[in-house]
Amino acid sequence: MSLDKVLAHVDADQDNALARLIELLKIESISTDPAYAAECNRAADWLVDDLKSIGFDASKRETPRHPMVIAHNDATDGTHVMFYGHYDVQPVDPLELWENPPFDARVEDTPNGKVIRGRGSSDDKGQLMTFVEACRAWKEVTGSLPTNVSIFFEGEEESGSPSLVPFMKENAAELKSDVALICDTGMVEPNTPSIVTMLRGLVGEQITIKGPSKDLHSGMYGGPSINPIRVLTQALGALHDDNGRVTLEGFYDGVPELPAQIAEQWKNLDFDEARFLGDVGLSKPAGENGRSVLEMLWSRPTAEVNGIWGGYTGEGFKTVLPAEASAKVSFRLVGQQDPVKVRDAFRAHVESFLPEDCSVEFHGHGNSGASGMAIDHPAFEQARGALSDEWDNEGVFVGCGGSIPIAGHFQKIIGTESMLIGFAQDDDSIHSPNEKYDLRSFHKGIRSWVRILAALN
Ligand SMILES: [Zn+2]
């Protein structure tokens, strides 16, 4: 009964919710530029005041850079959820490409409906306010929240989150919760609510193969001298087999097969492989044979050469035999793949191609494992059901080809599974000029959280 009343209150309060969001969007909280530090502080204060006004025990927590905002409302029992969002935004340049000033947020009519235009409207102020508004509606209608809620807002997400890991470690006990809700992602299609449950990890390696003690002339030494570029390309060329699989020893250890339930959800998505590839001038998927494009993107590991150099690459021509050749190589990881094992297997692979008189130097560029959420936790199906009730299409569990570190931090530092639920659309222009958030996303996002809070109880 109260669910319907709360949803009706959300509908009736839309103009006020929008006015509050616009107020927050006018604060110029660009985290990367020290000139905006006071504005970041002002955004944190604004959020603390707003959360206090709806009964949260909210406070600003200082860090060496921009403050965190932490709020609790533990008047009830039930599942304890920790909601994460970030109040900082990306810089706005190139300013001349904005049709309106980036911090003078306003509602606009577009062929696809009304939008809120302004920096941070989608990433992430509009998204985080969907949750705050849902809490407000529950409080105003029933006087309490249907489950135990804490909130965690960061102010450095767009500038590398330097304070995040130390802060989470120091405050791990306070951040402990049953499930983390992270609202900083989008929907796979405009009407299909999406819960990201798989994030790929990354290993980066730079290698340099060294041969002769100095650059040589191919007329003088060509033939007897080993060419490091030849060694490098042999090693890199052997990274994949004819079926698109990576050949490194043990590479697929810990790579899970897609659960049947998820494979079914992805098959039912209206994802157009031809258009996805056609948009970038391609026509044929180049990954593992027998895998769909979505599988390749969301649930399969990759090896890619990102850069390769050596010898003479300037104007004209030079018959040089280079003393060395280099490449940058990265691996996207899934499931339980061990980043250190992958790195070691890659190094052993390269070494196995080294002839006499050649040596190799490796330089690591970081490695992190994938995060896969334990979707057998009951909260996942409860949230998916709540989303399906709100939107035209059923909710789906999806993957994400990139990485979203906060989910891994919750898992490793706090021991809490994360659900990444967001309502952004592909055309929101996040990080770009004329960023927008659909009013429909804002409204239905609020209603979604109202339902999810009730479902998680
Ligand atoms: Zn974001």
Side-chain angles (χ1 to χ4, degrees):
M1 277 332 97
S2 49
L3 178 62
D4 291 335
K5 279 188 195 152
V6 177
L7 290 172
H9 182 78
V10 169
D11 297 347
D13 197 43
Q14 259 316 278
D15 288 349
N16 295 325
L18 190 58
R20 284 185 286 265
L21 173 58
I22 286 176
E23 223 180 281
L24 178 60
L25 290 172
K26 287 184 191 257
I27 303 176
E28 306 185 5
S29 49
I30 301 171
S31 60
T32 196
D33 185 344
Y36 294 87
E39 286 289 275
C40 290
N41 240 296
R42 204 154 73 82
D45 287 334
W46 189 95
L47 287 164
V48 167
D49 289 346
D50 193 47
L51 290 169
K52 280 182 176 165
S53 78
I54 52 173
F56 276 87
D57 174 10
S59 61
K60 194 169 72 168
R61 307 291 176 85
E62 297 303 330
T63 76
R65 287 184 69 222
H66 307 306
M68 310 282 181
V69 172
I70 302 286
H72 300 291
N73 186 290
D74 45 15
T76 45
D77 312 326
T79 307
H80 182 191
V81 303
M82 174 68 61
F83 179 86
Y84 167 91
H86 62 91
Y87 65 77
D88 63 320
V89 300
Q90 283 273 320
V92 296
D93 46 285
L95 193 57
E96 65 276 13
L97 294 184
W98 287 81
E99 280 159 30
N100 291 306
F103 292 106
D104 188 11
R106 61 188 71 186
V107 174
E108 277 177 27
D109 278 309
T110 77
N112 297 321
K114 285 189 190 306
V115 305
I116 316 158
R117 183 91 63 190
R119 173 56 88 227
S121 54
S122 177
D123 185 15
D124 188 42
K125 289 171 175 171
Q127 300 242 62
L128 71 81
M129 285 306 287
T130 58
F131 189 82
V132 175
E133 294 297 344
C135 292
R136 187 182 335 267
W138 272 108
K139 284 291 194 107
E140 286 179 357
V141 174
T142 69
S144 64
L145 294 172
T147 195
N148 192 354
V149 175
S150 294
I151 290 179
F152 177 12
F153 293 143
E154 188 194 359
E156 301 178 339
E157 200 275 342
E158 304 289 10
S159 53
S161 298
S163 310
L164 185 62
V165 167
F167 182 86
M168 288 181 83
K169 283 184 174 160
E170 269 163 44
N171 297 280
E174 187 180 355
L175 296 172
K176 184 80 192 142
S177 43
D178 297 317
V179 63
L181 305 172
I182 298 172
C183 188
D184 198 15
T185 50
M187 293 174 45
V188 66
E189 297 163 350
N191 281 307
T192 306
S194 314
I195 304 178
V196 177
T197 60
M198 280 167 267
L199 298 164
R200 292 198 291 191
L202 188 67
V203 169
E205 282 279 288
Q206 182 166 329
I207 60 174
T208 299
I209 310 262
K210 299 192 170 192
S213 57
K214 57 182 179 182
D215 283 359
L216 304 172
H217 187 291
S218 71
M220 303 283 293
Y221 278 93
S225 167
I226 185 69
N227 183 335
I229 295 180
R230 191 168 99 204
V231 177
L232 180 71
T233 53
Q234 279 172 341
L236 298 182
L239 275 176
H240 296 87
D241 69 14
D242 291 342
N243 294 315
R245 279 174 70 87
V246 177
T247 56
L248 296 183
E249 177 111 20
F251 185 72
Y252 290 94
D253 291 353
V255 176
E257 271 309 315
L258 202 56
Q261 175 209 5
I262 306 260
E264 193 58 30
Q265 287 177 15
W266 292 3
K267 221 179 282 156
N268 292 334
L269 285 177
D270 181 26
F271 177 78
D272 187 341
E273 293 193 354
R275 203 188 66 197
F276 177 79
L277 293 173
D279 280 349
V280 292
L282 301 175
S283 62
K284 191 175 182 308
E288 290 173 83
N289 281 356
R291 304 276 176 187
S292 73
V293 168
L294 284 184
E295 265 185 285
M296 290 178 194
L297 283 176
W298 290 345
S299 71
R300 300 299 298 176
T302 66
E304 296 293 350
V305 181
N306 306 112
I308 180 164
W309 67 99
Y312 184 71
T313 56
E315 283 288 310
F317 205 79
K318 187 176 169 187
T319 53
V320 63
L321 281 176
E324 58 182 60
S326 303
K328 291 180 193 278
V329 181
S330 63
F331 301 88
R332 292 271 174 195
L333 307 186
V334 303
Q336 305 305 315
Q337 270 181 303
D338 179 341
V340 174
K341 276 194 184 153
V342 167
R343 184 199 65 192
D344 291 348
F346 172 67
R347 290 181 176 186
H349 168 89
V350 173
E351 276 163 356
S352 75
F353 281 84
L354 282 187
E356 261 176 84
D357 293 336
C358 277
S359 61
V360 60
E361 278 173 13
F362 296 100
H363 179 68
H365 281 278
N367 51 70
S368 58
S371 345
M373 310 307 155
I375 60 168
D376 48 352
H377 189 295
F380 283 82
E381 269 306 324
Q382 289 164 352
R384 196 173 78 86
L387 287 165
S388 302
D389 288 344
E390 175 61 31
W391 295 82
D392 298 351
N393 298 335
E394 289 263 305
V396 286
F397 295 130
V398 302
C400 175
S403 61
I404 301 178
I406 181 71
H409 298 333
F410 268 115
Q411 230 169 17
K412 290 194 190 79
I413 303 172
I414 314 289
T416 299
E417 291 298 326
S418 299
M419 285 198 283
L420 295 104
I421 300 172
F423 309 101
Q425 303 291 347
D426 282 348
D427 63 353
D428 278 357
S429 299
I430 63 165
H431 298 196
S432 299
N434 304 311
E435 180 178 348
K436 61 92 173 157
Y437 199 40
D438 293 350
L439 270 195
R440 184 163 179 273
S441 282
F442 185 55
H443 181 201
K444 288 179 89 64
I446 299 169
R447 291 177 51 103
S448 297
W449 290 122
V450 164
R451 292 179 188 275
I452 288 170
L453 287 177
L456 290 180
N457 177 8

